[in-house]
Amino acid sequence: MRYAVLAAGKRVRPILCLASCELVGGKENAAMPAACAVEMIHTMSLIKDDLPCMDNDDLRRGKPTTHKVYGEGVAILSGGALLSLAFEHMTTAEISPEKMVWSVRELARSIGTRGLVAGQAKDISSEGLDLNKVGLEHLEFIHVHKTAVLLETAAVLGAIIGGGTNEEIESVRKFARCIGLLFQVVDDILDETKSSEELGKTAGKDQLLGKLTYPKLMGLEKSKEFVKRLTRDARQHLQGFSSEKVAPLVALTNFIANRNN
Amino acid sequence: MRYAVLAAGKRVRPILCLASCELVGGKENAAMPAACAVEMIHTMSLIKDDLPCMDNDDLRRGKPTTHKVYGEGVAILSGGALLSLAFEHMTTAEISPEKMVWSVRELARSIGTRGLVAGQAKDISSEGLDLNKVGLEHLEFIHVHKTAVLLETAAVLGAIIGGGTNEEIESVRKFARCIGLLFQVVDDILDETKSSEELGKTAGKDQLLGKLTYPKLMGLEKSKEFVKRLTRDARQHLQGFSSEKVAPLVALTNFIANRNN
């Protein structure tokens, strides 16, 4: 569990959670358990994605994948333990029991058949499909569920814990949805244009597995234009907040759009 | 998920949860979401136990195992989705937010490195060990974590939700600990003495895998005596409750001690 979680990840989800909490006037400390919980769940999904019966990947976050080091059995058990530790750790947050129950429910929803698992299931059943027969909708279903939902949940949890109004939570949710899609489009572009060394994970993997990607469906240039549009849209959802409070999330958006790994 | 959960299980954990709720004066309905959650988590652990990289089993609850029918990828994803659904479903219980947070924490603790996963990890690392070198303590560690902890949690959740006093919850916890051990000793005896057809799962599997069992460590006769002692101990922990309220749990104890599959 330590090996997988403490590897050099970008920590986009926890940062998003903490920054959303501060955006609505909350304190970073209050959102820390939720931020860690979301990173544990993200790591669990990476461990599973890399398994031989899934993407069968050897490299993650610049290191050999968990099952390569500890074997499949321990890797699968680590995933389950990280998932339950996420919920246990969430309950240590110093927030009202009402907010805690709300947060637990939001977190649980992002993992199962309406979240991560839906995306992963669709993903493994899509390998080798004829790209002429599946469209953008199919691709977006996978990405929304595999990536965007947990990013959205990270942000929403931050806003709930930070004491945001319903309207503020809704703005944060819309912002995070753009970020979620943005994150995946950039991921797809990087997989096609960067080396494994630069990425810290196996490059060109999507192509090899016959996976659907944005560059494949709309071409590299149009994908890059899409990145620009999503960046603009994301910022617009933050217009209701003061420019000072918005700064960390704008920086995060730019980081995601311009990252090299 | 449906295939695995709705197969013909004995439902010992949900029954224990509901009966413990009623024991302390609560209503069955209030504990139903927790009872279902515990069964989902139990099923998740069975799906994982049966995987090729774990016990590699073909038969469970009288049917082919989940990965045999749906493939390893879907089986692993189902496990994660059941785990998160358990927490999501828990939050639908009509109890105070305070009790809910307490319940979520108890549930989470029973799954990870101090619960199910600890037992499963020790279990897969114990196969083929020299029986002369490991003792009863080693065996009990596995069983307490793989089986007894979740049975205990089922009962404790019922008692919390039912509004039991701290003293009552403690009695229920002690009772459930006996039941947990009792359940596993009987399981080991059945694995050695019954056929796969009678059990609805592969018999003689423990022997085949070189697994530690009570009959192997203390012999069949002493194991049967141990069953009698645990049955007696379990009943003693219920002495503080009225005989009428205790009836369902006594019946459950007898069912576990005398079951044939």
Side-chain angles (χ1 to χ4, degrees):
Chain A
M1 292 161 71
R2 278 191 213 101
Y3 177 82
V5 175
L6 302 179
K10 291 180 285 296
R11 315 302 183 203
V12 169
R13 291 156 192 79
I15 292 169
L16 189 55
C17 181
L18 300 178
S20 300
C21 175
E22 291 186 326
L23 177 74
V24 299
K27 289 250 187 324
E28 189 187 90
N29 275 357
M32 194 56 89
C36 294
V38 167
E39 187 68 7
M40 289 178 204
I41 287 167
H42 173 54
T43 306
M44 172 278 294
S45 79
L46 299 181
I47 292 175
K48 286 190 182 168
D49 268 346
D50 292 337
L51 287 171
C53 63
M54 310 284 282
D55 284 359
N56 193 21
D57 222 319
D58 295 349
L59 197 60
R60 171 71 71 177
R61 291 177 162 177
K63 304 200 299 180
T65 45
T66 308
H67 68 271
K68 277 279 159 188
V69 180
Y70 296 99
E72 268 185 79
V74 171
I76 292 172
L77 293 178
S78 304
L82 280 171
L83 215 172
S84 60
L85 183 58
F87 285 100
E88 187 181 340
H89 192 62
M90 268 284 287
T91 65
T92 65
E94 290 181 355
I95 53 175
S96 72
E98 286 79 7
K99 273 190 195 171
M100 183 69 81
V101 174
W102 186 3
S103 301
V104 166
R105 194 179 297 131
E106 287 279 339
L107 191 64
R109 275 190 191 153
S110 70
I111 304 165
T113 53
R114 279 164 295 170
L116 269 173
V117 167
Q120 289 179 304
K122 192 97 170 176
D123 195 16
I124 56 172
S125 70
S126 301
E127 283 177 20
L129 278 189
D130 185 345
L131 290 185
N132 297 316
K133 286 185 182 152
V134 297
L136 199 59
E137 231 172 274
H138 187 102
L139 176 63
E140 288 202 341
F141 180 92
I142 295 175
H143 291 334
V144 163
H145 291 83
K146 271 193 77 166
T147 308
V149 171
L150 193 58
L151 282 160
E152 183 182 321
T153 300
V156 168
L157 287 181
I160 291 172
I161 293 169
T165 64
N166 284 346
E167 204 186 339
E168 286 174 331
I169 293 172
E170 222 27 61
S171 296
V172 167
R173 191 186 289 279
K174 282 177 189 159
F175 163 78
R177 274 194 192 146
C178 287
I179 294 289
L181 209 50
L182 174 61
F183 191 87
Q184 191 58 49
V185 180
V186 174
D187 230 38
D188 284 1
I189 294 174
L190 290 175
D191 185 78
E192 198 161 306
T193 58
K194 296 285 174 182
S195 70
S196 297
E197 235 171 43
E198 288 170 297
L199 293 181
K201 61 182 177 182
T202 314
K205 188 86 193 179
D206 294 342
Q207 191 119 24
L208 199 73
L209 288 170
K211 282 211 174 164
L212 296 169
T213 66
Y214 284 95
K216 242 188 246 170
L217 270 176
M218 50 168 72
L220 200 55
E221 278 319 300
K222 281 235 162 116
S223 300
K224 286 179 179 174
E225 275 170 38
F226 193 31
V227 165
K228 280 185 194 150
R229 212 195 78 204
L230 286 167
T231 311
R232 230 174 17 241
D233 289 354
R235 279 189 201 153
Q236 269 179 357
H237 291 302
L238 298 177
Q239 274 179 344
F241 301 93
S242 77
S243 62
E244 191 197 341
K245 289 212 160 161
V246 147
L249 286 175
V250 170
L252 183 67
T253 308
N254 293 336
F255 167 74
I256 290 172
N258 302 312
R259 70 202 167 100
N260 289 311
N261 65 52
Chain B
M1 291 162 71
R2 278 192 212 99
Y3 178 81
V5 174
L6 302 180
K10 291 178 286 294
R11 314 303 182 204
V12 169
R13 289 157 193 80
I15 292 168
L16 189 55
C17 180
L18 300 177
S20 299
C21 176
E22 291 186 326
L23 178 74
V24 299
K27 290 250 186 327
E28 188 186 272
N29 274 358
M32 194 56 88
C36 293
V38 167
E39 187 69 6
M40 289 177 203
I41 286 167
H42 173 54
T43 306
M44 172 279 292
S45 79
L46 299 181
I47 292 175
K48 286 190 182 170
D49 268 346
D50 292 337
L51 288 172
C53 63
M54 309 285 282
D55 284 359
N56 193 20
D57 222 318
D58 296 350
L59 196 61
R60 172 69 72 177
R61 291 177 163 178
K63 304 200 298 182
T65 45
T66 307
H67 68 271
K68 278 278 158 190
V69 179
Y70 296 99
E72 267 186 80
V74 172
I76 292 172
L77 293 177
S78 304
L82 280 172
L83 214 173
S84 60
L85 183 59
F87 285 100
E88 187 181 341
H89 192 62
M90 267 285 286
T91 66
T92 65
E94 291 181 357
I95 53 177
S96 73
E98 286 79 6
K99 274 189 195 172
M100 183 69 81
V101 174
W102 185 5
S103 302
V104 166
R105 193 179 299 135
E106 287 278 339
L107 191 64
R109 277 190 189 153
S110 70
I111 303 165
T113 52
R114 281 164 293 173
L116 269 173
V117 167
Q120 288 179 304
K122 192 95 169 177
D123 195 15
I124 57 173
S125 70
S126 303
E127 283 176 22
L129 278 191
D130 185 344
L131 290 185
N132 297 317
K133 287 184 186 156
V134 296
L136 199 59
E137 231 172 273
H138 187 104
L139 176 64
E140 287 201 342
F141 181 93
I142 295 175
H143 291 335
V144 162
H145 292 83
K146 272 192 76 166
T147 309
V149 171
L150 194 58
L151 281 160
E152 183 182 320
T153 300
V156 167
L157 287 181
I160 291 172
I161 293 168
T165 62
N166 284 346
E167 203 187 340
E168 285 174 331
I169 293 172
E170 222 29 58
S171 296
V172 166
R173 191 187 288 278
K174 283 177 189 160
F175 163 77
R177 274 195 192 148
C178 286
I179 294 289
L181 209 49
L182 173 63
F183 191 87
Q184 191 58 50
V185 180
V186 174
D187 230 37
D188 283 0
I189 294 174
L190 290 174
D191 185 78
E192 197 161 306
T193 57
K194 296 286 175 180
S195 70
S196 298
E197 233 171 43
E198 287 170 297
L199 294 182
K201 62 182 175 183
T202 314
K205 188 88 193 175
D206 295 340
Q207 190 119 26
L208 199 71
L209 288 170
K211 282 213 174 162
L212 297 168
T213 65
Y214 285 96
K216 241 188 248 172
L217 270 176
M218 50 168 72
L220 199 57
E221 277 320 301
K222 281 236 162 111
S223 299
K224 285 180 180 171
E225 275 170 38
F226 193 31
V227 165
K228 278 185 195 149
R229 211 194 78 202
L230 286 167
T231 311
R232 227 172 23 238
D233 289 353
R235 279 190 201 152
Q236 268 178 357
H237 291 301
L238 298 176
Q239 273 178 345
F241 301 93
S242 76
S243 62
E244 191 197 341
K245 289 212 160 161
V246 147
L249 287 176
V250 170
L252 183 66
T253 308
N254 293 335
F255 167 74
I256 290 172
N258 302 312
R259 70 206 168 95
N260 287 311
N261 66 52

PDB file of all heavy atoms in Angstrom, chain A residues 175 178-179 182 224-239 250 253-254 257:
ATOM      1  N   PHE A 175     -16.695  23.197 -12.703  1.00  0.00           N
ATOM      2  CA  PHE A 175     -15.274  23.437 -12.946  1.00  0.00           C
ATOM      3  C   PHE A 175     -14.520  22.110 -13.011  1.00  0.00           C
ATOM      4  O   PHE A 175     -13.755  21.840 -13.940  1.00  0.00           O
ATOM      5  CB  PHE A 175     -14.693  24.329 -11.837  1.00  0.00           C
ATOM      6  CG  PHE A 175     -13.196  24.308 -11.754  1.00  0.00           C
ATOM      7  CD1 PHE A 175     -12.422  25.038 -12.654  1.00  0.00           C
ATOM      8  CD2 PHE A 175     -12.550  23.545 -10.785  1.00  0.00           C
ATOM      9  CE1 PHE A 175     -11.034  25.011 -12.588  1.00  0.00           C
ATOM     10  CE2 PHE A 175     -11.155  23.514 -10.713  1.00  0.00           C
ATOM     11  CZ  PHE A 175     -10.404  24.248 -11.618  1.00  0.00           C
ATOM     12  N   CYS A 178     -14.922  19.982 -16.194  1.00  0.00           N
ATOM     13  CA  CYS A 178     -14.041  20.421 -17.287  1.00  0.00           C
ATOM     14  C   CYS A 178     -12.630  19.908 -17.063  1.00  0.00           C
ATOM     15  O   CYS A 178     -11.990  19.384 -17.975  1.00  0.00           O
ATOM     16  CB  CYS A 178     -14.001  21.941 -17.367  1.00  0.00           C
ATOM     17  SG  CYS A 178     -15.494  22.653 -18.025  1.00  0.00           S
ATOM     18  N   ILE A 179     -12.144  20.062 -15.832  1.00  0.00           N
ATOM     19  CA  ILE A 179     -10.795  19.625 -15.487  1.00  0.00           C
ATOM     20  C   ILE A 179     -10.637  18.128 -15.745  1.00  0.00           C
ATOM     21  O   ILE A 179      -9.602  17.666 -16.230  1.00  0.00           O
ATOM     22  CB  ILE A 179     -10.514  19.929 -13.994  1.00  0.00           C
ATOM     23  CG1 ILE A 179     -10.485  21.427 -13.766  1.00  0.00           C
ATOM     24  CG2 ILE A 179      -9.229  19.284 -13.534  1.00  0.00           C
ATOM     25  CD1 ILE A 179      -9.275  22.082 -14.348  1.00  0.00           C
ATOM     26  N   LEU A 182     -10.398  17.591 -19.445  1.00  0.00           N
ATOM     27  CA  LEU A 182      -9.117  18.205 -19.832  1.00  0.00           C
ATOM     28  C   LEU A 182      -7.951  17.276 -19.520  1.00  0.00           C
ATOM     29  O   LEU A 182      -7.056  17.037 -20.335  1.00  0.00           O
ATOM     30  CB  LEU A 182      -8.961  19.531 -19.068  1.00  0.00           C
ATOM     31  CG  LEU A 182      -7.629  20.287 -19.210  1.00  0.00           C
ATOM     32  CD1 LEU A 182      -7.388  20.683 -20.652  1.00  0.00           C
ATOM     33  CD2 LEU A 182      -7.608  21.516 -18.292  1.00  0.00           C
ATOM     34  N   LYS A 224      -5.710  19.203 -29.486  1.00  0.00           N
ATOM     35  CA  LYS A 224      -5.048  20.326 -28.827  1.00  0.00           C
ATOM     36  C   LYS A 224      -5.961  21.551 -28.735  1.00  0.00           C
ATOM     37  O   LYS A 224      -5.937  22.283 -27.746  1.00  0.00           O
ATOM     38  CB  LYS A 224      -3.741  20.674 -29.567  1.00  0.00           C
ATOM     39  CG  LYS A 224      -2.643  19.640 -29.307  1.00  0.00           C
ATOM     40  CD  LYS A 224      -1.355  19.957 -30.053  1.00  0.00           C
ATOM     41  CE  LYS A 224      -0.289  18.899 -29.735  1.00  0.00           C
ATOM     42  NZ  LYS A 224       0.930  19.076 -30.554  1.00  0.00           N
ATOM     43  N   GLU A 225      -6.777  21.745 -29.773  1.00  0.00           N
ATOM     44  CA  GLU A 225      -7.770  22.834 -29.722  1.00  0.00           C
ATOM     45  C   GLU A 225      -8.794  22.590 -28.613  1.00  0.00           C
ATOM     46  O   GLU A 225      -9.217  23.503 -27.909  1.00  0.00           O
ATOM     47  CB  GLU A 225      -8.508  22.929 -31.066  1.00  0.00           C
ATOM     48  CG  GLU A 225      -7.778  23.780 -32.109  1.00  0.00           C
ATOM     49  CD  GLU A 225      -8.429  23.643 -33.478  1.00  0.00           C
ATOM     50  OE1 GLU A 225      -9.683  23.566 -33.546  1.00  0.00           O
ATOM     51  OE2 GLU A 225      -7.672  23.570 -34.477  1.00  0.00           O
ATOM     52  N   PHE A 226      -9.171  21.306 -28.474  1.00  0.00           N
ATOM     53  CA  PHE A 226     -10.135  20.908 -27.444  1.00  0.00           C
ATOM     54  C   PHE A 226      -9.575  21.241 -26.053  1.00  0.00           C
ATOM     55  O   PHE A 226     -10.297  21.723 -25.169  1.00  0.00           O
ATOM     56  CB  PHE A 226     -10.427  19.403 -27.592  1.00  0.00           C
ATOM     57  CG  PHE A 226     -11.612  18.910 -26.807  1.00  0.00           C
ATOM     58  CD1 PHE A 226     -12.706  19.730 -26.540  1.00  0.00           C
ATOM     59  CD2 PHE A 226     -11.657  17.592 -26.342  1.00  0.00           C
ATOM     60  CE1 PHE A 226     -13.801  19.258 -25.826  1.00  0.00           C
ATOM     61  CE2 PHE A 226     -12.744  17.121 -25.624  1.00  0.00           C
ATOM     62  CZ  PHE A 226     -13.812  17.955 -25.360  1.00  0.00           C
ATOM     63  N   VAL A 227      -8.276  21.030 -25.877  1.00  0.00           N
ATOM     64  CA  VAL A 227      -7.603  21.368 -24.618  1.00  0.00           C
ATOM     65  C   VAL A 227      -7.777  22.856 -24.316  1.00  0.00           C
ATOM     66  O   VAL A 227      -8.110  23.241 -23.187  1.00  0.00           O
ATOM     67  CB  VAL A 227      -6.097  21.003 -24.680  1.00  0.00           C
ATOM     68  CG1 VAL A 227      -5.314  21.660 -23.543  1.00  0.00           C
ATOM     69  CG2 VAL A 227      -5.913  19.491 -24.634  1.00  0.00           C
ATOM     70  N   LYS A 228      -7.591  23.691 -25.357  1.00  0.00           N
ATOM     71  CA  LYS A 228      -7.729  25.140 -25.154  1.00  0.00           C
ATOM     72  C   LYS A 228      -9.154  25.511 -24.758  1.00  0.00           C
ATOM     73  O   LYS A 228      -9.383  26.334 -23.875  1.00  0.00           O
ATOM     74  CB  LYS A 228      -7.329  25.883 -26.427  1.00  0.00           C
ATOM     75  CG  LYS A 228      -5.817  26.012 -26.551  1.00  0.00           C
ATOM     76  CD  LYS A 228      -5.424  26.853 -27.759  1.00  0.00           C
ATOM     77  CE  LYS A 228      -3.931  26.655 -28.041  1.00  0.00           C
ATOM     78  NZ  LYS A 228      -3.615  26.801 -29.460  1.00  0.00           N
ATOM     79  N   ARG A 229     -10.125  24.890 -25.421  1.00  0.00           N
ATOM     80  CA  ARG A 229     -11.528  25.206 -25.130  1.00  0.00           C
ATOM     81  C   ARG A 229     -11.887  24.814 -23.697  1.00  0.00           C
ATOM     82  O   ARG A 229     -12.540  25.560 -22.972  1.00  0.00           O
ATOM     83  CB  ARG A 229     -12.453  24.474 -26.125  1.00  0.00           C
ATOM     84  CG  ARG A 229     -13.717  25.256 -26.426  1.00  0.00           C
ATOM     85  CD  ARG A 229     -14.775  24.391 -27.101  1.00  0.00           C
ATOM     86  NE  ARG A 229     -15.454  23.537 -26.160  1.00  0.00           N
ATOM     87  CZ  ARG A 229     -16.073  22.397 -26.499  1.00  0.00           C
ATOM     88  NH1 ARG A 229     -16.050  21.974 -27.755  1.00  0.00           N
ATOM     89  NH2 ARG A 229     -16.693  21.677 -25.583  1.00  0.00           N
ATOM     90  N   LEU A 230     -11.427  23.615 -23.296  1.00  0.00           N
ATOM     91  CA  LEU A 230     -11.740  23.135 -21.940  1.00  0.00           C
ATOM     92  C   LEU A 230     -11.087  24.015 -20.875  1.00  0.00           C
ATOM     93  O   LEU A 230     -11.681  24.276 -19.818  1.00  0.00           O
ATOM     94  CB  LEU A 230     -11.282  21.681 -21.772  1.00  0.00           C
ATOM     95  CG  LEU A 230     -12.148  20.627 -22.494  1.00  0.00           C
ATOM     96  CD1 LEU A 230     -11.422  19.273 -22.515  1.00  0.00           C
ATOM     97  CD2 LEU A 230     -13.508  20.484 -21.824  1.00  0.00           C
ATOM     98  N   THR A 231      -9.876  24.479 -21.140  1.00  0.00           N
ATOM     99  CA  THR A 231      -9.186  25.378 -20.210  1.00  0.00           C
ATOM    100  C   THR A 231     -10.002  26.653 -20.008  1.00  0.00           C
ATOM    101  O   THR A 231     -10.191  27.133 -18.888  1.00  0.00           O
ATOM    102  CB  THR A 231      -7.787  25.750 -20.759  1.00  0.00           C
ATOM    103  OG1 THR A 231      -7.119  24.547 -21.147  1.00  0.00           O
ATOM    104  CG2 THR A 231      -6.950  26.465 -19.721  1.00  0.00           C
ATOM    105  N   ARG A 232     -10.508  27.208 -21.138  1.00  0.00           N
ATOM    106  CA  ARG A 232     -11.325  28.417 -21.079  1.00  0.00           C
ATOM    107  C   ARG A 232     -12.620  28.173 -20.301  1.00  0.00           C
ATOM    108  O   ARG A 232     -12.987  28.926 -19.409  1.00  0.00           O
ATOM    109  CB  ARG A 232     -11.648  28.870 -22.512  1.00  0.00           C
ATOM    110  CG  ARG A 232     -11.365  30.311 -22.767  1.00  0.00           C
ATOM    111  CD  ARG A 232     -11.547  30.729 -24.227  1.00  0.00           C
ATOM    112  NE  ARG A 232     -12.318  29.809 -25.041  1.00  0.00           N
ATOM    113  CZ  ARG A 232     -11.829  29.190 -26.136  1.00  0.00           C
ATOM    114  NH1 ARG A 232     -10.576  29.369 -26.502  1.00  0.00           N
ATOM    115  NH2 ARG A 232     -12.598  28.408 -26.857  1.00  0.00           N
ATOM    116  N   ASP A 233     -13.284  27.052 -20.633  1.00  0.00           N
ATOM    117  CA  ASP A 233     -14.548  26.712 -19.956  1.00  0.00           C
ATOM    118  C   ASP A 233     -14.350  26.560 -18.453  1.00  0.00           C
ATOM    119  O   ASP A 233     -15.160  27.036 -17.652  1.00  0.00           O
ATOM    120  CB  ASP A 233     -15.108  25.400 -20.513  1.00  0.00           C
ATOM    121  CG  ASP A 233     -15.645  25.561 -21.930  1.00  0.00           C
ATOM    122  OD1 ASP A 233     -15.678  26.716 -22.415  1.00  0.00           O
ATOM    123  OD2 ASP A 233     -16.020  24.552 -22.548  1.00  0.00           O
ATOM    124  N   ALA A 234     -13.262  25.870 -18.082  1.00  0.00           N
ATOM    125  CA  ALA A 234     -12.998  25.634 -16.655  1.00  0.00           C
ATOM    126  C   ALA A 234     -12.905  26.959 -15.903  1.00  0.00           C
ATOM    127  O   ALA A 234     -13.541  27.147 -14.862  1.00  0.00           O
ATOM    128  CB  ALA A 234     -11.704  24.831 -16.489  1.00  0.00           C
ATOM    129  N   ARG A 235     -12.151  27.895 -16.471  1.00  0.00           N
ATOM    130  CA  ARG A 235     -11.972  29.190 -15.808  1.00  0.00           C
ATOM    131  C   ARG A 235     -13.290  29.941 -15.648  1.00  0.00           C
ATOM    132  O   ARG A 235     -13.514  30.625 -14.667  1.00  0.00           O
ATOM    133  CB  ARG A 235     -10.998  30.055 -16.607  1.00  0.00           C
ATOM    134  CG  ARG A 235      -9.554  29.680 -16.325  1.00  0.00           C
ATOM    135  CD  ARG A 235      -8.621  30.686 -16.944  1.00  0.00           C
ATOM    136  NE  ARG A 235      -7.294  30.105 -17.113  1.00  0.00           N
ATOM    137  CZ  ARG A 235      -6.431  30.475 -18.033  1.00  0.00           C
ATOM    138  NH1 ARG A 235      -6.751  31.441 -18.884  1.00  0.00           N
ATOM    139  NH2 ARG A 235      -5.257  29.919 -18.109  1.00  0.00           N
ATOM    140  N   GLN A 236     -14.144  29.797 -16.655  1.00  0.00           N
ATOM    141  CA  GLN A 236     -15.419  30.516 -16.596  1.00  0.00           C
ATOM    142  C   GLN A 236     -16.273  30.103 -15.400  1.00  0.00           C
ATOM    143  O   GLN A 236     -16.988  30.928 -14.830  1.00  0.00           O
ATOM    144  CB  GLN A 236     -16.189  30.314 -17.896  1.00  0.00           C
ATOM    145  CG  GLN A 236     -15.851  31.425 -18.896  1.00  0.00           C
ATOM    146  CD  GLN A 236     -16.568  31.268 -20.208  1.00  0.00           C
ATOM    147  OE1 GLN A 236     -17.292  30.297 -20.407  1.00  0.00           O
ATOM    148  NE2 GLN A 236     -16.373  32.223 -21.101  1.00  0.00           N
ATOM    149  N   HIS A 237     -16.176  28.829 -15.026  1.00  0.00           N
ATOM    150  CA  HIS A 237     -16.980  28.356 -13.891  1.00  0.00           C
ATOM    151  C   HIS A 237     -16.495  28.921 -12.561  1.00  0.00           C
ATOM    152  O   HIS A 237     -17.165  28.778 -11.541  1.00  0.00           O
ATOM    153  CB  HIS A 237     -16.982  26.824 -13.845  1.00  0.00           C
ATOM    154  CG  HIS A 237     -17.728  26.202 -14.978  1.00  0.00           C
ATOM    155  ND1 HIS A 237     -19.058  26.472 -15.230  1.00  0.00           N
ATOM    156  CD2 HIS A 237     -17.335  25.342 -15.946  1.00  0.00           C
ATOM    157  CE1 HIS A 237     -19.449  25.799 -16.297  1.00  0.00           C
ATOM    158  NE2 HIS A 237     -18.425  25.107 -16.764  1.00  0.00           N
ATOM    159  N   LEU A 238     -15.329  29.546 -12.567  1.00  0.00           N
ATOM    160  CA  LEU A 238     -14.785  30.117 -11.326  1.00  0.00           C
ATOM    161  C   LEU A 238     -15.041  31.616 -11.216  1.00  0.00           C
ATOM    162  O   LEU A 238     -14.602  32.263 -10.278  1.00  0.00           O
ATOM    163  CB  LEU A 238     -13.272  29.850 -11.250  1.00  0.00           C
ATOM    164  CG  LEU A 238     -12.838  28.378 -11.209  1.00  0.00           C
ATOM    165  CD1 LEU A 238     -11.319  28.258 -11.209  1.00  0.00           C
ATOM    166  CD2 LEU A 238     -13.406  27.668  -9.976  1.00  0.00           C
ATOM    167  N   GLN A 239     -15.776  32.172 -12.193  1.00  0.00           N
ATOM    168  CA  GLN A 239     -15.977  33.630 -12.242  1.00  0.00           C
ATOM    169  C   GLN A 239     -16.651  34.219 -11.007  1.00  0.00           C
ATOM    170  O   GLN A 239     -16.442  35.376 -10.669  1.00  0.00           O
ATOM    171  CB  GLN A 239     -16.757  34.016 -13.498  1.00  0.00           C
ATOM    172  CG  GLN A 239     -15.836  34.216 -14.695  1.00  0.00           C
ATOM    173  CD  GLN A 239     -16.602  34.569 -15.947  1.00  0.00           C
ATOM    174  OE1 GLN A 239     -17.829  34.372 -15.998  1.00  0.00           O
ATOM    175  NE2 GLN A 239     -15.923  35.083 -16.955  1.00  0.00           N
ATOM    176  N   VAL A 250      -6.678  28.105 -10.810  1.00  0.00           N
ATOM    177  CA  VAL A 250      -6.265  28.517 -12.166  1.00  0.00           C
ATOM    178  C   VAL A 250      -4.870  27.947 -12.460  1.00  0.00           C
ATOM    179  O   VAL A 250      -4.621  27.410 -13.545  1.00  0.00           O
ATOM    180  CB  VAL A 250      -6.255  30.057 -12.294  1.00  0.00           C
ATOM    181  CG1 VAL A 250      -5.600  30.485 -13.607  1.00  0.00           C
ATOM    182  CG2 VAL A 250      -7.684  30.601 -12.215  1.00  0.00           C
ATOM    183  N   THR A 253      -5.227  24.322 -13.223  1.00  0.00           N
ATOM    184  CA  THR A 253      -5.760  24.142 -14.576  1.00  0.00           C
ATOM    185  C   THR A 253      -4.646  24.278 -15.609  1.00  0.00           C
ATOM    186  O   THR A 253      -4.518  23.446 -16.517  1.00  0.00           O
ATOM    187  CB  THR A 253      -6.850  25.197 -14.867  1.00  0.00           C
ATOM    188  OG1 THR A 253      -7.814  25.176 -13.818  1.00  0.00           O
ATOM    189  CG2 THR A 253      -7.537  24.929 -16.199  1.00  0.00           C
ATOM    190  N   ASN A 254      -3.820  25.313 -15.457  1.00  0.00           N
ATOM    191  CA  ASN A 254      -2.709  25.520 -16.392  1.00  0.00           C
ATOM    192  C   ASN A 254      -1.697  24.380 -16.310  1.00  0.00           C
ATOM    193  O   ASN A 254      -1.164  23.936 -17.322  1.00  0.00           O
ATOM    194  CB  ASN A 254      -2.021  26.859 -16.117  1.00  0.00           C
ATOM    195  CG  ASN A 254      -2.946  28.014 -16.446  1.00  0.00           C
ATOM    196  OD1 ASN A 254      -3.863  27.874 -17.255  1.00  0.00           O
ATOM    197  ND2 ASN A 254      -2.726  29.149 -15.798  1.00  0.00           N
ATOM    198  N   ALA A 257      -3.155  21.436 -18.175  1.00  0.00           N
ATOM    199  CA  ALA A 257      -3.187  21.656 -19.629  1.00  0.00           C
ATOM    200  C   ALA A 257      -1.791  21.577 -20.243  1.00  0.00           C
ATOM    201  O   ALA A 257      -1.627  21.104 -21.366  1.00  0.00           O
ATOM    202  CB  ALA A 257      -3.824  23.004 -19.931  1.00  0.00           C
TER     203      ALA A 257
END
